[in-house]
């Protein structure tokens, strides 16, 4: 005998249809955790408002989400406690099965950054007069000086390799703070642009070559940068091994690259070889390439950034005899 509390076949099929869409699953995961408006959901999901609104309407019509108005904004949440036991059980299964999706990981990072910014906004509001200084400083002096101050921490006698230097933007910025910068790129077009940018910088040397076979002597550099480079390489491990080779003992490698995502359209549009890296896999790559003191962390997504989230990783070449 079928219990009265069990859902009808029509209800079950409708619920399964509601959840048979990747965007709706991502959206429900977010509003289960946090009540958000459409604009915030668009920012977290990186989808247009029309798409998010369409999915929200369907989910609201079927009882998966509730909304309320706050001033001029309508906020959405998932009323997990109001779902029927069977509906809730189906959702918990769907949520569990999507835990490992790269897109879900990206959404969670953007949600965490949005909530961090909310907390920061509250802190600034309650700070009162002290908060005016930050705004005043930015209006008077801008923000570029902060990065310049950090670069000034670099030892002046260092030689730094900018691997995959592209058009030389970072190469030129580094040149004011260290003894020499060696920029390497395999694109003639990129190097032409880099030469134009660094033509008046005598301590910059640009070389054409592949990162898997760097045209730099052994132990010639104190530090090496690989910024948004490894995802373009079919064999990133070889580039890291080469980076280790050109560093002096105690030298530091710093790299920034894409966190794992599932946007294959983005990968193809950008001509990249891979879909990014997990922090654990990046740490393993650096360790297997000979680096010690390996660290890797996720970078907070920038509010207006449209690409996948990024990670920052560092490693030190072991001192001789260490």
């Amino acid at each position: 005998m079928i219990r009265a509390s069990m859902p009808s076949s029509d209800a079950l099929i409708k619920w399964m249809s509601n959840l048979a869409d990747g965007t709706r699953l991502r959206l429900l995961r977010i509003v289960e955790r946090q009540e958000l408006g459409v604009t915030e959901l668009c920012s977290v999901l990186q989808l247009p408002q029309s798409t998010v609104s369409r999915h929200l309407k369907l989910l609201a019509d079927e009882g998966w989400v509730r909304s309320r108005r706050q001033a001029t904004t309508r906020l959405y949440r998932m009323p997990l406690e109001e779902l029927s036991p069977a509906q809730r059980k189906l959702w918990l299964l769907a949520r569990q099965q999507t835990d490992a999706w790269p897109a879900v990981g990206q959404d969670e990072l953007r949600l965490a950054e949005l909530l961090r910014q909310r907390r920061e906004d509250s802190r600034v509001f309650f700070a009162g007069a002290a908060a005016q200084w930050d705004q005043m400083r930015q209006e008077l002096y801008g923000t570029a000086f902060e990065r310049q101050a950090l670069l000034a921490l670099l030892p002046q006698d260092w030689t730094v390799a900018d691997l995959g230097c592209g058009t030389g933007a970072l190469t030129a910025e580094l040149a004011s703070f260290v003894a020499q910068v060696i920029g390497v790129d395999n694109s003639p077009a990129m190097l032409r642009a880099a030469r134009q940018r660094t033509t008046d910088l005598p301590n910059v040397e640009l070389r054409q070559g592949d990162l898997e076979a760097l045209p730099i002597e052994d132990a010639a550099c104190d530090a090496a940068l690989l910024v948004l480079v490894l995802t373009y390489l079919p064999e990133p491990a070889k580039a890291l091994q080469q980076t280790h080779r050109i560093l002096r003992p105690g030298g530091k490698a710093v790299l920034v690259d894409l966190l794992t995502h599932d946007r294959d359209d983005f990968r193809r549009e950008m001509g990249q070889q891979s879909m990014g890296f997990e922090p654990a896999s990046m740490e393993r790559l650096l360790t297997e390439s000979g680096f010690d003191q390996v660290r890797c962390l996720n970078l907070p997504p920038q509010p207006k950034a449209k690409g996948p989230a990024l990670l920052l990783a560092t490693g030190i070449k072991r001192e001789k005899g260490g």
Side-chain angles (χ1 to χ4, degrees), residues 16-322:
M16 293 175 68
S17 175
N18 298 157
L19 298 180
D21 182 274
T23 298
R24 288 199 287 273
L25 289 171
R26 291 168 60 198
L27 199 158
L28 284 173
R29 288 182 65 103
I30 296 167
V31 295
E32 180 190 9
R33 287 184 53 188
Q34 184 68 40
E35 185 180 50
L36 296 175
V38 173
T39 300
E40 293 173 316
L41 287 167
C42 292
S43 175
V44 173
L45 292 168
Q46 292 196 326
L47 291 172
Q49 182 171 335
S50 59
T51 299
V52 172
S53 296
R54 184 177 72 252
H55 286 295
L56 279 174
K57 184 179 186 308
L58 184 148
L59 292 171
D61 290 344
E62 299 299 331
W64 289 100
V65 299
R66 295 280 187 271
S67 68
R68 67 182 179 90
R69 184 165 292 282
Q70 178 175 282
T72 60
T73 302
R74 184 165 290 280
L75 301 176
Y76 293 85
R77 66 178 179 88
M78 182 184 192
L80 188 62
E81 70 286 351
E82 298 177 19
L83 301 181
S84 70
Q87 194 176 8
R88 184 162 56 247
K89 187 174 182 179
L90 182 62
W91 163 244
L92 294 177
L93 175 63
R95 186 181 67 186
Q96 180 187 44
Q97 294 300 310
T98 58
D99 280 343
W101 284 11
V104 166
Q106 297 272 334
D107 293 343
E108 290 176 352
L109 281 171
R110 286 188 287 269
L111 176 60
E113 177 61 15
L114 185 148
L115 296 178
R116 187 203 66 78
Q117 187 60 53
R118 275 188 178 183
R119 291 191 294 271
E120 179 67 11
D121 291 343
S122 296
R123 186 197 67 79
V124 169
F125 175 80
F126 288 109
Q132 297 176 9
W133 167 242
D134 289 337
Q135 182 178 355
M136 182 184 301
R137 186 176 69 167
Q138 184 172 344
E139 290 176 351
L140 291 173
Y141 310 115
T143 58
F145 71 91
E146 296 172 342
R147 181 170 174 175
Q148 299 290 305
L150 293 174
L151 286 172
L153 294 172
L154 293 172
Q156 295 180 6
D157 60 348
W158 268 18
T159 295
V160 178
D162 184 7
L163 306 179
C165 65
T167 61
L170 187 54
T171 305
E173 195 165 5
L174 283 166
S176 299
F177 300 95
V178 296
Q180 183 183 21
V181 184
I182 302 174
V184 178
D185 205 284
N186 67 356
S187 167
M190 289 288 193
L191 286 174
R192 281 195 297 272
R195 288 192 177 94
Q196 291 179 351
R197 175 173 263 146
T198 61
T199 184
D200 296 326
L201 301 174
N203 63 334
V204 169
E205 182 180 353
L206 299 176
R207 304 178 186 180
Q208 184 173 351
D210 293 329
L211 270 60
E212 298 94 332
L214 287 171
I216 301 177
E217 300 77 15
D218 293 356
C221 301
D222 300 284
L225 300 174
L226 300 96
V227 178
L228 301 179
V229 168
L230 292 185
T231 46
Y232 288 94
L233 303 179
E235 297 182 278
K238 285 189 176 181
L240 291 177
Q241 292 161 12
Q242 285 285 297
T243 302
H244 184 272
R245 176 185 64 79
I246 68 169
L247 288 174
R248 298 187 178 106
K252 189 169 189 176
V254 178
L255 64 91
V256 175
D257 224 303
L258 276 62
L259 195 63
T260 301
H261 62 93
D262 62 353
R263 294 169 55 180
D264 191 54
D265 56 336
F266 178 89
R267 181 194 65 79
R268 287 185 282 103
E269 180 182 354
M270 297 300 293
Q272 294 169 341
Q273 297 289 320
S274 72
M275 306 279 277
F277 301 90
E278 291 291 342
S281 65
M282 181 58 70
E283 290 178 0
R284 185 175 62 254
L285 277 172
L286 283 164
T287 300
E288 291 175 351
S289 299
F291 288 96
D292 288 339
Q293 302 178 44
V294 172
R295 297 181 61 196
C296 189
L297 55 92
N298 298 332
L299 294 177
Q302 295 299 297
K304 296 183 180 180
K306 297 181 179 179
L310 304 175
L311 57 77
L312 169 69
T314 59
I316 305 293
K317 182 172 181 176
R318 184 184 296 114
E319 295 274 5
K320 290 182 178 178

